[in-house]
Amino acid sequence: DAGVIQSPRHEVTEMGQEVTLRCKPISGHNSLFWYRQTMMRGLELLIYFNNNVPIDDSGMPEDRFSAKMPNASFSTLKIQPSEPRDSAVYFCASSPGGLSTFGSGTRLTVV
Amino acid sequence: AQSVTQLGSHVSVSEGALVLLRCNYSSSVPPYLFWYVQYPNQGLQLLLKYTTGATLVKGINGFEAEFKKSETSFHLTKPSAHMSDAAEYFCAVTLGGWRGGNKLTFGTGTQLKVEL
């Protein structure tokens, strides 16, 4: 199994631009999570899906952030418009209902 | 509500010395507890977990942790540190059982430095 695959690994964008982060969960995993890691706030859960349905998005910082899971093998996290304070490492994780497996993350820099 | 507190954002030990990373939790229901390790520019890797049963759990790379309900603690230990153990370590908690979609609440992390 290739594990949880995130793309891109690194993203540098200008303030105001739209950014889309992508995640392919492990096949057969029915839960998917988006986390954000920053020096100031550590690891925070942004949103999670169960069977492609968003269950809890209380961690999404504001309306500029949106996440979708159109099918069981793909999810996106979109930031529009991006701001410098969105700079962080964004992790996707998937779970079959128990332990989560994490992707390698996307390092986002907004300048 | 659930939370974890990791005492000490940076810990430095000599190679061969005992590693002790502290984690205390708060949970309104029996918790499931985890330790993850993150190497530079990499994702999180599970070291070990406690769900139910034996309170002393062994993980990969010689690490172990003991769940102490009376102390609400889940400290991570390793008898002898190796240079390759240098990384950031995260304690995490989720609600007892795999309810809540296995949402993990993480501590702020402890950076472990291993010196010669």
Side-chain angles (χ1 to χ4, degrees):
Chain A
D1 198 317
V4 177
I5 300 173
Q6 292 187 245
S7 63
R9 287 296 306 274
H10 302 274
E11 176 80 37
V12 180
T13 191
E14 291 184 347
M15 182 174 62
Q17 296 298 306
E18 177 180 295
V19 175
T20 300
L21 311 181
R22 296 173 176 78
C23 175
K24 177 178 170 56
I26 292 174
S27 178
H29 284 195
N30 61 349
S31 295
L32 183 140
F33 308 83
W34 283 101
Y35 291 88
R36 178 173 68 175
Q37 185 178 34
T38 61
M39 289 292 291
M40 292 296 294
R41 301 174 66 90
L43 275 156
E44 306 171 278
L45 177 67
L46 300 178
I47 184 171
Y48 84 93
F49 296 83
N50 195 44
N51 294 323
N52 312 337
V53 176
I55 303 300
D56 183 352
D57 65 355
S58 59
M60 295 286 263
E62 48 197 279
D63 292 344
R64 297 184 297 107
F65 285 70
S66 62
K68 294 182 180 179
M69 192 165 186
N71 56 61
S73 59
F74 184 65
S75 177
T76 59
L77 178 67
K78 185 177 293 186
I79 308 173
Q80 165 64 19
S82 58
E83 297 182 3
R85 60 194 169 115
D86 301 330
S87 297
V89 181
Y90 291 80
F91 288 103
C92 177
S94 71
S95 165
L99 291 173
S100 290
T101 300
F102 284 76
S104 298
T106 295
R107 182 174 295 277
L108 173 66
T109 303
V110 183
V111 297
Chain B
Q2 57 198 39
S3 66
V4 287
T5 301
Q6 291 183 241
L7 298 176
S9 58
H10 292 81
V11 170
S12 183
V13 300
S14 299
E15 191 174 34
L18 171 71
V19 176
L20 171 61
L21 305 182
R22 299 178 186 274
C23 173
N24 288 88
Y25 70 90
S26 172
S27 176
S28 55
V29 297
Y32 283 11
L33 293 156
F34 308 83
W35 276 99
Y36 283 86
V37 61
Q38 185 179 31
Y39 297 100
N41 299 315
Q42 294 187 27
L44 292 148
Q45 180 181 5
L46 181 69
L47 271 179
L48 50 78
K49 70 182 189 299
Y50 168 78
T51 55
T52 58
T55 56
L56 180 64
V57 292
K58 296 185 183 299
I60 62 171
N61 302 339
F63 284 93
E64 62 182 36
E66 186 170 11
F67 170 63
K68 291 187 176 180
K69 185 178 179 181
S70 61
E71 298 177 8
T72 62
S73 69
F74 191 58
H75 302 329
L76 182 70
T77 60
K78 181 174 180 178
S80 177
H82 191 272
M83 296 296 289
S84 60
D85 295 327
E88 189 156 22
Y89 292 79
F90 293 91
C91 183
V93 64
T94 190
L95 293 174
W98 297 114
R99 299 187 300 275
N102 189 24
K103 291 190 299 181
L104 290 166
T105 300
F106 286 90
T108 51
T110 298
Q111 188 72 43
L112 176 65
K113 183 178 179 181
V114 182
E115 300 174 320
L116 287 172

